[in-house]
Amino acid sequence: AQKVTQAQTEISVVEKEDVTLDCVYETRDTTYYLFWYKQPPSGELVFLIRRNSFDEQNEISGRYSWNFQKSTSSFNFTITASQVVDSAVYFCALTPTRGSTLGRLYFGRGTQLTVWP
Amino acid sequence: DTEVTQTPKHLVMGMTNKKSLKCEQHMGHRAMYWYKQKAKKPPELMFVYSYEKLSINESVPSRFSPECPNSSLLNLHLHALQPEDSALYLCASSRSGLAGGTDTQYFGPGTRLTVL
């Protein structure tokens, strides 16, 4: 069974604060991919990152960084110096690499991030 | 270019109407998806087409009828919908067919459907 938990339902910060969005997952598969998507009020899901379970290197892209820790089954997302445009719902998702669940994205419930000016 | 387009952006329909949602991608992707998303919930998978063949149907009611006329186009035909079917309908595509089902799914902007 695949499960993704985003325990933070809503987070509010003031502009320029750093914020970390948590993602914890459960899977029996030894290989899988993890994703983060951003969904602004307009509705489109915007792809942010895809990470192979074999690759535990942290990644940084501008103000965004991701911390993947297989030992704790977590794939956390940090936004540094947040901006109002970062306000959105952020989804963490997992897809296995084999079996009948191949091709399915298992989403967490999402975290609503609000950045105040 | 990772663009998936969807039309219309908004749709209001009565329970007796027949309407269609359209999704298009020109990235050469071989898998296309329909998702339904209710407010404050994650997207729920409805259908997956792989190489223009229906590969996954998540037990969706028959009032939703998908169609994949060619590798770039995906339709969702709607008939006799219920008010609880009101939602955001998202289309997505990914590079490989289901055999490469770990590829990134790129989403369109969605169609906001209201059923009266």
Side-chain angles (χ1 to χ4, degrees):
Chain A
Q2 325 289 339
K3 186 178 178 182
V4 176
T5 301
Q6 294 179 256
Q8 304 149 310
T9 305
E10 295 182 17
I11 300 176
S12 286
V13 298
V14 177
E15 218 171 11
K16 296 186 184 162
E17 284 185 27
D18 298 348
V19 58
T20 295
L21 309 182
D22 297 332
C23 173
V24 173
Y25 61 90
E26 296 174 34
T27 179
R28 291 182 183 161
D29 290 88
T30 54
T31 58
Y32 46 89
Y33 282 81
L34 296 165
F35 300 82
W36 276 95
Y37 285 88
K38 172 183 179 181
Q39 188 173 38
S42 59
E44 178 176 357
L45 264 80
V46 178
F47 165 70
L48 297 177
I49 189 171
R50 170 176 177 258
R51 176 51 51 91
N52 185 318
S53 55
F54 286 121
D55 181 4
E56 288 196 66
Q57 274 200 334
N58 291 331
E59 180 153 342
I60 298 174
S61 175
R63 295 185 297 107
Y64 295 171
S65 62
W66 290 269
N67 182 359
F68 176 33
Q69 294 202 339
K70 210 166 177 178
S71 59
T72 55
S73 298
S74 65
F75 187 40
N76 296 337
F77 172 32
T78 297
I79 302 175
T80 303
S82 59
Q83 299 176 1
V84 172
V85 294
D86 296 327
S87 296
V89 179
Y90 290 86
F91 289 100
C92 180
L94 174 149
T95 191
T97 59
R98 60 180 64 116
S100 63
T101 51
L102 183 65
R104 288 171 170 80
L105 265 178
Y106 293 86
F107 286 95
R109 296 183 66 171
T111 297
Q112 169 70 60
L113 173 65
T114 302
V115 181
W116 298 99
Chain B
D1 182 15
T2 55
E3 188 178 8
V4 177
T5 59
Q6 289 187 245
T7 54
K9 283 188 123 174
H10 300 273
L11 179 62
V12 179
M13 60 186 291
M15 289 191 283
T16 58
N17 292 157
K18 284 186 181 180
K19 297 285 184 184
S20 297
L21 309 185
K22 180 180 170 182
C23 172
E24 204 160 2
Q25 57 87 13
H26 295 287
M27 298 176 280
H29 287 181
R30 304 316 302 264
M32 296 186 76
Y33 309 74
W34 279 115
Y35 287 84
K36 173 183 178 179
Q37 186 180 23
K38 302 283 272 184
K40 298 189 182 298
K41 299 281 188 183
E44 296 175 13
L45 183 65
M46 300 175 71
F47 303 104
V48 181
Y49 274 83
S50 176
Y51 291 93
E52 301 160 49
K53 291 192 184 334
L54 183 63
S55 299
I56 296 176
N57 176 343
E58 292 287 65
S59 302
V60 179
S62 59
R63 58 185 183 269
F64 295 91
S65 175
E67 179 196 19
C68 189
N70 59 59
S71 59
S72 300
L73 193 55
L74 186 66
N75 298 320
L76 186 63
H77 303 298
L78 314 172
H79 173 56
L81 294 194
Q82 306 295 312
E84 58 264 30
D85 296 323
S86 298
L88 178 68
Y89 287 85
L90 291 160
C91 174
S93 70
S94 62
R95 184 172 53 89
S96 304
L98 267 192
T102 58
D103 289 342
T104 298
Q105 293 184 28
Y106 294 95
F107 286 80
T111 294
R112 290 195 184 274
L113 174 67
T114 302
V115 181
L116 301 176

